Amino acid sequence: NYGYDYDDFIFGYDVDKYGYTYYDNLEEKTIFDVLETYGQLYYIYVINSALIISNYSVRVDDYLEDFGNFPTWEQDFFRNDVEEIKNYSRRSHIIDFDALRLGLKMLKNNKFKDSIDFGIILITEIGKERGNQYTVKKARNVTAGFEETTQNNDLFNVDVKMCRHRATIDNFPFVAFIMDEQRASSLNADLKELCDVLYIFESSDFTFITPVFALDELAYMLATPAFNKFYVKNRAHKAGDNVLRHVIKKLYHLIFNHYVKLFNQYSSCILTYTVQDGKGDKEAKKKKYRLLKKKIHAGRFATDAYAGFYYEKTKNSKAGFLDLPEYAGKTATLSELNLQNSYFAEDLNKTFIEK
């Protein structure tokens, strides 16, 4: 019915010739054990989709090449075919946190609640999502017989602890959690202890990987300040695009364009970081990572992942930046301090009330 031309379930495999089982000096496996493992691995390998599930958008450019035999993946970060990248680029899947909650769900009858089996789970600002003992209140009853979903009863942490059980194939777990936060202490200890804490404490400037482009860089370094000085002054005093300005712009553009493309293709910076287990009972290990600009900064993701929220917040505002009152003098008056809606100013005002 499905184009299967064999009278067995092993694709015509000759059991008598090649054997039904295989012993690898660890355990004996049947042909069906191996087929099940291969089928699971092949599904993850061949699925034409980003394997990232995240709470922010991440772009991937790899694509599957299939000539009718065994498909292979094109994963070159440094290719420059813009049309090819446009055609094959995909974005990460939108995370549904209910799929990572073994306890109460936020949405009743959520069709995605059991959707995540494997994948790379990226969560930015995890401390804001999960909180710690100081920021998360205990679960409370909203109405009789109904309990609100909170960080205390959704069993998210339990699911992270159990995640290998959902996605292990041939003793290798095909699931990983990668989370970031400004301060590790913003995350509750129960979850943090499951992680390795990677703390980036130093980043070098971007520089060319090799000295091959030293002359190109020197030409740019000499031309740029000279051009900026000329262009700003010339544009401020003369309207329009006169011949001299046009010629100088064209010449500088050649230098600028050449340098920028080389720099974006062949530059890197060194990140110095430490890795420590989440419990903090082992000494942190200092390491270095070479961050390649072409690989990381090619529109992979936006660092302002929650800009959409602030866009709507600002759009709906009835007042703008210029509507904010200015201070009248060198020192803020008490009434000006009161305009700040500040906790500290409020505490200062209480001293008058108490008196």
Side-chain angles (χ1 to χ4, degrees):
N1 293 333
Y2 300 98
Y4 190 78
D5 298 326
Y6 303 98
D7 58 359
D8 52 39
F9 293 103
I10 50 177
F11 304 91
Y13 176 80
D14 192 335
V15 173
D16 295 329
K17 183 176 181 179
Y18 299 109
Y20 178 73
T21 63
Y22 174 72
Y23 181 62
D24 60 2
N25 280 348
L26 293 176
E27 58 180 318
E28 187 177 61
K29 298 178 181 178
T30 69
I31 182 64
F32 289 105
D33 293 330
V34 175
L35 280 175
E36 180 180 358
T37 297
Y38 187 89
Q40 292 172 332
L41 290 172
Y42 189 77
Y43 174 72
I44 293 177
Y45 176 80
V46 81
I47 187 171
N48 199 3
S49 163
L51 294 180
I52 301 171
I53 307 115
S54 59
N55 67 342
Y56 62 105
S57 177
V58 179
R59 196 190 87 230
V60 296
D61 299 331
D62 52 349
Y63 63 90
L64 199 65
E65 289 186 317
D66 190 349
F67 302 104
N69 302 299
F70 186 78
T72 57
W73 282 93
E74 171 57 61
Q75 296 179 312
D76 182 7
F77 281 103
F78 294 89
R79 64 184 187 273
N80 289 313
D81 190 328
V82 177
E83 290 302 317
E84 182 183 275
I85 293 173
K86 284 182 181 178
N87 292 334
Y88 292 107
S89 289
R90 297 177 307 281
R91 291 282 172 178
S92 56
H93 298 273
I94 300 172
I95 195 170
D96 188 329
F97 282 101
D98 272 354
L100 301 173
R101 295 177 176 126
L102 290 180
L104 291 184
K105 311 291 190 290
M106 188 172 288
L107 182 64
K108 189 177 181 180
N109 300 321
N110 188 343
K111 69 176 183 179
F112 296 114
K113 67 181 179 66
D114 301 312
S115 59
I116 299 178
D117 290 324
F118 57 88
I120 301 165
I121 300 167
L122 300 183
I123 305 175
T124 189
E125 306 290 357
I126 183 63
K128 284 79 171 174
E129 177 65 33
R130 300 306 305 171
N132 57 31
Q133 61 177 328
Y134 302 107
T135 59
V136 177
K137 296 179 181 179
K138 291 184 177 180
R140 57 185 177 84
N141 290 324
V142 178
T143 58
F146 179 79
E147 198 172 16
E148 180 188 23
T149 302
T150 73
Q151 291 93 332
N152 290 314
N153 59 24
D154 65 1
L155 302 186
F156 175 94
N157 291 6
V158 175
D159 189 63
V160 176
K161 296 173 185 177
M162 301 283 288
C163 68
R164 75 180 188 276
H165 298 285
R166 68 166 53 156
T168 295
I169 305 173
D170 201 24
N171 298 317
F172 186 89
F174 282 83
V175 61
F177 282 81
I178 302 175
M179 304 171 283
D180 70 69
E181 179 52 62
Q182 306 301 318
R183 294 174 67 250
S185 59
S186 297
L187 185 62
N188 61 79
D190 185 49
L191 182 55
K192 188 176 74 171
E193 288 181 2
L194 302 175
C195 307
D196 286 332
V197 179
L198 187 153
Y199 175 67
I200 302 171
F201 63 87
E202 189 177 71
S203 175
S204 70
D205 293 330
F206 276 95
T207 58
F208 279 113
I209 297 172
T210 70
V212 174
F213 306 110
L215 292 178
D216 305 86
E217 187 170 28
L218 178 62
Y220 172 78
M221 294 300 228
L222 292 174
T224 297
F227 173 78
N228 288 340
K229 184 178 180 180
F230 161 80
Y231 186 71
V232 172
K233 185 176 180 179
N234 186 271
R235 190 175 180 185
H237 290 87
K238 295 183 180 180
D241 199 10
N242 55 60
V243 175
L244 178 62
R245 186 196 301 173
H246 180 77
V247 171
I248 291 177
K249 278 170 59 179
K250 285 292 184 182
L251 291 174
Y252 177 71
H253 174 74
L254 294 175
I255 298 172
F256 175 84
N257 197 44
H258 174 72
Y259 171 79
V260 166
K261 289 190 174 184
L262 282 178
F263 190 79
N264 288 339
Q265 182 86 13
Y266 300 107
S267 67
S268 70
C269 74
I270 302 297
L271 299 181
T272 306
Y273 65 96
T274 57
V275 179
Q276 189 176 30
D277 71 300
K279 294 180 181 179
D281 55 3
K282 294 181 180 179
E283 185 179 354
K285 296 179 180 179
K286 188 175 179 180
K287 298 187 177 184
K288 293 182 182 293
Y289 174 76
R290 182 178 290 277
L291 190 152
L292 302 175
K293 194 174 188 67
K294 175 70 174 178
K295 179 179 178 181
I296 305 297
H297 288 172
R300 296 287 167 212
F301 62 94
T303 188
D304 53 342
Y306 288 94
F309 165 77
Y310 285 98
Y311 171 78
E312 292 297 330
K313 183 175 182 291
T314 303
K315 189 174 74 171
N316 295 326
S317 175
K318 296 179 180 179
F321 177 82
L322 294 177
D323 296 312
L324 292 169
E326 298 177 351
Y327 289 103
K330 185 176 180 180
T331 304
T333 64
L334 182 59
S335 60
E336 288 174 338
L337 290 175
N338 290 336
L339 290 176
Q340 296 176 4
N341 293 317
S342 160
Y343 292 121
F344 181 53
E346 188 177 71
D347 291 339
L348 290 176
N349 273 318
K350 287 178 182 177
T351 61
F352 290 103
I353 298 173
E354 290 172 0
K355 287 179 179 179

